[in-house]
Amino acid sequence: MIKPFKDDDENKVTWNDCICTAETEKAILVAGIEEKPVWIPKSQIHDDSEVFALEGDGALVVKRWWAEKEGWI
């Protein structure tokens, strides 16, 4: 099940109450979108995101086209 998101605009979407639990050079592992944590490419994280590095928590904002490609919206 995918957690409800906030439809910000045509370029980005937001999920509240997320947390980054792991990080690599190119991606972060985020809990709070699906039942299991998911890897998010750092290149797809919007500048408005509060979650962008290890132990970051709050609102995760990603580029809309990528969220659509993943089937989240």
Side-chain angles (χ1 to χ4, degrees):
M1 183 177 117
I2 300 171
K3 180 178 173 179
F5 63 92
K6 178 181 173 191
D7 192 1
D8 292 327
D9 64 30
E10 64 184 37
N11 297 316
K12 62 184 180 177
V13 291
T14 301
W15 284 269
N16 291 314
D17 303 320
C18 294
I19 186 167
C20 176
T21 59
E23 179 179 17
T24 68
E25 182 179 327
K26 295 187 178 196
I28 60 173
L29 184 62
V30 176
I33 298 174
E34 293 190 358
E35 290 178 20
K36 295 182 179 181
V38 293
W39 285 101
I40 311 286
K42 289 181 178 178
S43 63
Q44 301 310 312
I45 298 172
H46 194 276
D47 290 341
D48 292 345
S49 187
E50 296 173 344
V51 180
F52 54 84
L54 187 59
E55 297 183 5
D57 66 347
L60 172 70
V61 184
V62 299
K63 296 175 184 174
R64 174 178 282 283
W65 77 267
W66 186 79
E68 289 174 350
K69 180 181 85 70
E70 293 298 306
W72 293 347
I73 59 173

